[in-house]
Amino acid sequence: MAHLTKTGLTAGLITLLGLGMATAQEFRLSYASPYGPTHPYGEADQAWIDRIHEQTDGRVEITPFWGRSLITSREGIDELAAGVADMAYIAPIYASSGYELSRLSPSFFYGYEDALDVLDVYLELWNDFPQFEEELDGVKVLGFNVGTPMHLMLRDRPFEQISDLQGLRIRSAVDYVGALANFGAEGVTMPMTDTYPGLERGVLDGVIAPYEALRSLSFAEVINYYSELPHSRGAYPSRAMNGNVWATLPEDIQQVFEDNTLWLTMTTYELAQGSEEAGRAYGEEMGVAFNAVDDSVIAEYSEAFAEPARATAQRLDGMGLPGTEVLERVRAGRD
């Protein structure tokens, strides 16, 4: 497989289901996404669709199906492999089961503050540990996502030191509940859509969310402080084609897709980052106070994730996967 790096990515896994060839030089493909065309991921997809069409001299025509009309977030890989579309947005980190290395290793990136650092390390892992690709057997990956870090939004006071967490009720992803409990806070795993009224009524004291949620979920209306305590979200394969369909494509068409893997990855990141910047700007307009958190406090907080990460690595080891090796590589990039 081609060597992948953020600055020289030329590999992809694509799963094309139901590929139809109208002529020997015409490939009509379907693309399914749980997102809409105005979401940053959808905007990246549409630009990619247009780019593939242009770079294949019109030989490849891709029809998108947006908004979960064909595919869901949680079971996207399985649905793609089953033939619901030729290509799709996938998110193995959200799968209900399976894809253990992809699904569990993002927790190893605790304390990372820069999404591009996460992406660099992840792509090295993808190159060096074939088990990442092997567990996605049946699909050909064409692009990757990296989540921008989430931070701590609070109603009544900023977070500046660990003791500030004592007694708070914070809407949190399940991955962060244990760390919050270590420092006297309660992590609440409610749907993000229910978080606004919880903050508004004071049922919640805060939420762990990214800058963009200040605008997209209107959190800037119900919180007053945004403390930059990073919660990394890791990276993952995000677009793919059915492997059987991929195998039917001529090599020159395959090469166009592979040559655009980095382009799609970075375009997705850049558009998502633009949404983050717009969210922060909106928060500033709404009077939200932003504060950086001291590095020593970040380090102390991050240590709460160390033991669970080691336990996860050992669990992966027990499955015959390189959990501890991957953990050590990830921590070497941060520590």
Side-chain angles (χ1 to χ4, degrees), residues 313-324:
Q314 291 169 4
R315 177 181 167 194
L316 290 169
D317 292 342
M319 300 175 186
L321 296 168
T324 297

Side-chain angles (χ1 to χ4, degrees), residues 20-333:
M21 292 191 294
T23 71
Q25 293 186 335
E26 183 174 323
F27 302 89
R28 298 183 182 278
L29 311 176
S30 58
Y31 175 77
S33 173
Y35 297 97
T38 60
H39 188 279
Y41 297 168
E43 291 179 0
D45 288 337
Q46 187 59 62
W48 174 62
I49 287 168
D50 295 341
R51 186 177 175 92
I52 295 296
H53 183 77
E54 178 183 354
Q55 292 189 358
T56 59
D57 296 323
R59 294 171 64 197
V60 174
E61 182 174 338
I62 301 170
T63 301
F65 293 85
W66 306 111
R68 300 187 182 184
S69 58
L70 289 181
I71 205 163
T72 64
S73 295
R74 213 171 268 282
E75 311 301 337
I77 302 175
D78 295 338
E79 291 165 343
L80 178 59
V84 299
D86 299 324
M87 298 181 291
Y89 184 96
I90 61 171
I93 60 171
Y94 299 127
S96 301
S97 61
Y99 315 108
E100 282 83 4
L101 203 53
S102 293
R103 185 165 51 86
L104 300 177
S105 62
S107 66
F108 298 167
F109 286 88
Y110 60 87
Y112 274 73
E113 300 175 52
D114 188 324
L116 291 182
D117 289 342
V118 172
L119 183 60
D120 275 337
V121 173
Y122 179 79
L123 293 181
E124 291 177 2
L125 296 173
W126 183 269
N127 287 323
D128 296 343
F129 295 93
Q131 295 90 340
F132 278 96
E133 184 175 356
E134 289 167 359
E135 71 178 8
L136 273 68
D137 182 45
V139 303
K140 179 74 174 160
V141 171
L142 297 176
F144 298 86
N145 271 23
V146 59
T148 52
M150 297 190 287
H151 300 103
L152 186 57
M153 304 186 195
L154 293 168
R155 281 170 40 97
D156 299 324
R157 65 177 186 270
F159 170 86
E160 295 177 335
Q161 55 191 1
I162 293 296
S163 60
D164 292 336
L165 291 172
Q166 186 69 39
L168 298 183
R169 299 188 79 241
I170 298 169
R171 191 278 172 194
S172 165
V174 66
D175 291 348
Y176 311 136
V177 169
L180 292 171
N182 281 356
F183 301 117
E186 178 186 357
V188 180
T189 57
M190 64 171 58
M192 196 65 94
T193 50
D194 295 340
T195 301
Y196 181 103
L199 291 166
E200 185 178 37
R201 297 195 303 269
V203 174
L204 295 172
D205 299 297
V207 56
I208 296 171
Y211 291 111
E212 62 88 11
L214 290 166
R215 183 178 67 164
S216 65
L217 295 174
S218 301
F219 287 165
E221 298 176 3
V222 287
I223 63 104
N224 294 300
Y225 301 97
Y226 190 108
S227 298
E228 292 166 334
L229 179 67
H231 292 73
S232 174
R233 291 190 280 177
Y236 58 95
S238 63
R239 278 77 161 196
M241 181 182 292
N242 175 277
N244 292 330
V245 178
W246 171 257
T248 69
L249 294 178
E251 290 183 3
D252 63 324
I253 296 293
Q254 290 180 346
Q255 192 62 53
V256 172
F257 278 107
E258 289 190 335
D259 288 347
N260 279 283
T261 304
L262 174 62
W263 186 90
L264 176 57
T265 299
M266 295 310 298
T267 298
T268 301
Y269 167 77
E270 289 161 4
L271 288 169
Q273 190 62 36
S275 182
E276 289 285 280
E277 292 167 359
R280 176 168 181 140
Y282 179 74
E284 291 172 346
E285 291 174 10
M286 295 292 290
V288 174
F290 293 82
N291 71 286
V293 177
D294 189 86
D295 287 345
S296 63
V297 176
I298 293 174
E300 182 181 358
Y301 180 75
S302 295
E303 274 304 304
F305 294 89
E307 184 54 39
R310 285 191 289 269
T312 296
Q314 291 169 4
R315 177 181 167 194
L316 290 169
D317 292 342
M319 300 175 186
L321 296 168
T324 297
E325 291 180 75
V326 169
L327 174 61
E328 289 174 350
R329 286 282 294 277
V330 171
R331 299 320 307 163

